[in-house]
């Protein structure tokens, strides 16, 4: 993209203002006074992550979850399909009795086994087919059509549709078994890529929530990871260009590089550089990842590297909400070829009871029916539950209610609650080298 592309990436997409160039003074802007980060405009086209906006001084009260009807609708569908064959048989029998033999509704008894093939197994379909044939024979005898050509045609229709339904059911069950096997393999692969985070990581209590925009998928274009060392914890949250399965390859490269570098590199900037080199080496084209890398140290400080990602939401123990931002934003990971300067580390102080929420733009860019973006800063009160996982689930449920349906973009949230008083009872991170090594990976623990 060159210098023009770099300028486009620096542009403020929330209100049209340009982000300050190196050395320029920062204006907190209207978003810093409005109670939360504003969404990034998506009308600028791909490759323009923009500058996430400012901070919120107040916390809004928590909202009460409201149950939706979408889950009930999905649950009622199999019930309706299960009753439909019997309802069809009853309706055809009633019409045949009322209309008499003059019209000839007997072949319509084949609707029963035809509908039976939609749900259930082959035994159920066979039973409904036999029941339909018995109804057809009984009413044929009642109408005096048992040994007529019309009667034979009706009996053959019911028997033929039943046989076809049995074949269709057996084929469907075979495909369902193959699909279940593929899904089980995919689930293992997904868990290997996006591992469950530990409930405790040093002085932190951790919870994560992920919603993929692709149906039936547990991973997509967002990523997260928590690397627990002996004396510090490093985390990453990122958003890959694109979504769904197309972005999974990039997610694998970024997470693989981070998991290795998080335990080897003494400085946080070295971790970001390793991930950048891995993307340049493994991926073709201009694929990029907006990412936020954070490091929790034992002195109560958090150091950030922001690669064009939305700022974290820091919720203080007294309810105050902040959005820590760097003096200047850097380009996303994967765009180092443009020769711009990498991100500079910046620091925030945390105290016991403070919470840090790392998220992707699928959260702040979720719109309601009126086109209003999700006000994350105003929803900070939902994170007040004592259990971090429950608090994050309440926030996710509120986000889905705001969007009034499935999200149109992947949405990942990682909640980190600073609780050093609970660290003494937490299990020390363990690895192949003993209790001083990193959790789950070999190599020396970060100092």
């Amino acid at each position: 993209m060159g210098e023009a592309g770099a300028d486009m990436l620096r542009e403020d997409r929330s209100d049209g203002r340009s982000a300050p160039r190196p050395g320029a003074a920062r204006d907190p802007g209207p978003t810093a006074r409005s109670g939360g980060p504003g969404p990034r405009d998506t009308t600028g086209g791909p490759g323009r992550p923009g500058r996430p906006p400012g901070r919120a001084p107040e916390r809004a009260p928590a909202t009460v979850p409201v149950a939706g009807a979408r889950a009930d609708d999905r649950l009622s569908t199999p019930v309706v399909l299960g009753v439909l064959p019997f309802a069809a048989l009853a309706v055809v029998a009633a019409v045949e009795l009322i209309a008499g033999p003059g019209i000839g509704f007997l072949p319509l008894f084949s609707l029963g086994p035809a509908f039976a093939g939609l749900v259930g197994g082959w035994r159920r379909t066979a039973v409904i087919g036999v029941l339909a044939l018995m109804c057809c024979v009984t009413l044929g005898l009642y109408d005096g059509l048992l040994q007529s050509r019309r009667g034979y045609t009706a009996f053959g229709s019911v028997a033929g549709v039943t046989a076809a339904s049995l074949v269709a059911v057996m084929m469907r069950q075979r495909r369902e078994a193959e699909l279940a096997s593929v899904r089980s393999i995919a689930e293992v692969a997904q868990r290997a890529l996006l591992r469950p985070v530990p409930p405790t990581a040093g002085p932190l209590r951790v919870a994560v929530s992920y919603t993929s925009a692709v149906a039936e998928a547990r991973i997509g274009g967002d990523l997260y990871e928590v690397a627990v060392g002996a004396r510090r914890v490093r985390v990453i949250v990122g958003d890959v260009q694109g979504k769904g399965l197309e972005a999974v390859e990039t997610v694998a490269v970024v997470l693989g590089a981070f998991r290795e570098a998080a335990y080897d590199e003494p400085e946080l900037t070295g971790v970001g550089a390793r991930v950048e080199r891995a993307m340049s080496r493994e991926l073709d084209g201009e694929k990029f990842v907006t990412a936020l890398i954070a490091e929790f140290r034992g002195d109560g400080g958090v150091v950030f590297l922001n690669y064009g990602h939305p700022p974290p939401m820091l919720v203080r123990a007294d309810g105050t909400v902040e959005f820590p931002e760097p003096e200047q934003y850097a380009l996303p990971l994967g765009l180092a070829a443009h020769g711009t300067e990498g991100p500079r580390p910046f620091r925030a102080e945390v105290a016991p009871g403070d919470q840090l929420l790392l998220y992707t733009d699928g959260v702040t860019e979720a719109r309601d029916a009126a086109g209003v973006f999700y006000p994350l800063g105003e929803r900070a009160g939902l994170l007040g539950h004592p259990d971090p996982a429950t608090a994050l689930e309440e926030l996710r449920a509120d986000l889905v209610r705001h969007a009034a349906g499935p999200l149109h973009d992947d949405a990942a949230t990682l909640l980190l609650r600073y609780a050093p008083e609970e660290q003494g009872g937490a299990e020390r991170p363990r690895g192949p080298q003993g209790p001083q090594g990193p959790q789950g990976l070999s190599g020396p623990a970060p100092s």
Side-chain angles (χ1 to χ4, degrees):
M1 292 188 299
E3 185 64 29
D7 290 339
M8 290 171 63
L9 285 167
R10 294 190 188 99
E11 182 183 349
D12 186 346
R13 300 168 64 183
S14 63
D15 55 10
R17 295 180 290 109
S18 297
R21 299 301 190 267
R26 289 183 56 83
D27 180 2
T31 55
R33 301 182 291 271
S34 63
R40 295 176 293 164
D41 185 10
T42 57
T43 58
R48 298 179 59 189
R51 180 183 68 85
R55 57 180 292 177
E58 297 180 357
R59 179 184 70 175
T63 58
V64 179
V66 179
R70 294 180 179 269
D72 295 338
D73 293 340
R74 289 194 297 269
L75 291 175
S76 63
T77 301
V79 176
V80 173
L81 293 178
V83 175
L84 189 58
F86 302 99
L89 295 179
V91 170
V92 172
V95 173
E96 175 66 21
L97 288 173
I98 295 174
I103 300 179
F105 286 102
L106 291 181
L108 293 181
F109 279 110
S110 60
L111 291 176
F115 289 140
L118 298 177
V119 293
W122 66 269
R123 292 183 179 87
R124 178 177 180 272
T125 302
V127 169
I128 294 177
V130 171
L131 180 62
L133 191 58
M134 292 175 60
C135 292
C136 186
V137 170
T138 302
L139 288 180
L141 181 62
Y142 176 79
D143 293 334
L145 302 175
L146 187 59
Q147 296 182 353
S148 66
R149 181 178 300 177
R150 289 175 56 187
Y152 294 146
T153 302
F155 305 151
S157 299
V158 175
V161 172
T162 300
S165 297
L166 287 172
V167 173
V169 167
M170 288 186 286
M171 294 179 62
R172 173 174 58 81
Q173 289 182 319
R174 183 180 303 173
R175 292 195 180 106
E176 288 177 350
E178 294 174 354
L179 181 58
S181 177
V182 170
R183 283 181 177 176
S184 64
I185 297 173
E187 182 176 350
V188 173
Q190 291 172 347
R191 287 186 175 273
L193 189 57
L194 285 181
R195 305 170 183 171
V197 299
T200 58
L204 304 173
R205 297 183 64 191
V206 185
V208 67
S209 174
Y210 189 94
T211 303
S212 175
V214 178
E216 303 298 334
R218 297 189 181 184
I219 58 175
D222 290 353
L223 58 93
Y224 59 85
E225 183 57 290
V226 178
V228 185
R231 287 175 291 276
R232 58 189 175 192
V233 179
R234 286 171 171 171
V235 301
I236 184 174
V237 168
D239 186 0
V240 176
Q241 176 193 16
K243 62 183 178 181
L245 297 178
E246 297 178 355
V248 172
E249 180 185 3
T250 307
V251 171
V253 171
V254 173
L255 288 180
F258 174 79
R259 286 165 180 164
E260 180 181 358
Y263 300 105
D264 295 341
E265 294 294 335
E267 299 296 333
L268 195 61
T269 52
V271 177
R274 287 271 291 273
V275 177
E276 184 72 69
R277 289 195 298 269
M279 291 190 61
S280 301
R281 181 175 61 250
E282 300 291 341
L283 301 176
D284 298 328
E286 288 196 351
K287 295 182 179 179
F288 63 84
V289 180
T290 67
L292 182 66
I293 305 177
E295 177 182 279
F296 286 81
R297 300 179 176 178
D299 58 357
V302 187
V303 179
F304 301 97
L305 279 181
N306 195 315
Y307 290 88
H309 198 75
M313 182 172 73
L314 180 58
V315 184
R316 299 293 184 182
D318 61 359
T320 304
V321 180
E322 303 174 8
F323 291 88
E325 294 185 89
E327 293 183 358
Q328 67 181 65
Y329 276 83
L331 292 179
L333 291 165
L335 300 180
H338 298 290
T340 58
E341 183 181 1
R344 297 177 182 177
F346 62 101
R347 180 183 173 102
E349 302 296 329
V350 292
D354 290 350
Q355 300 183 89
L356 189 68
L357 182 70
L358 282 61
Y359 55 93
T360 58
D361 60 6
V363 176
T364 53
E365 292 183 358
R367 302 173 185 246
D368 61 9
V372 178
F373 291 102
Y374 184 70
L376 180 61
E378 298 176 6
R379 299 295 196 267
L382 295 173
L383 300 177
H385 196 279
D387 178 41
T390 303
L392 200 57
E393 176 58 26
E394 291 181 358
L395 181 68
R396 189 203 66 82
D398 184 72
L399 174 65
V400 173
R401 285 195 302 272
H402 177 85
L407 302 180
H408 299 291
D409 193 8
D410 301 325
T413 51
L414 180 65
L415 181 62
L416 306 167
R417 183 172 293 175
Y418 187 58
E421 68 280 359
E422 301 180 12
Q423 185 177 6
E427 183 180 358
R428 294 292 300 275
R430 295 175 296 179
Q433 297 189 355
Q436 294 297 326
Q439 182 176 0
L441 294 177
S442 60
S447 58

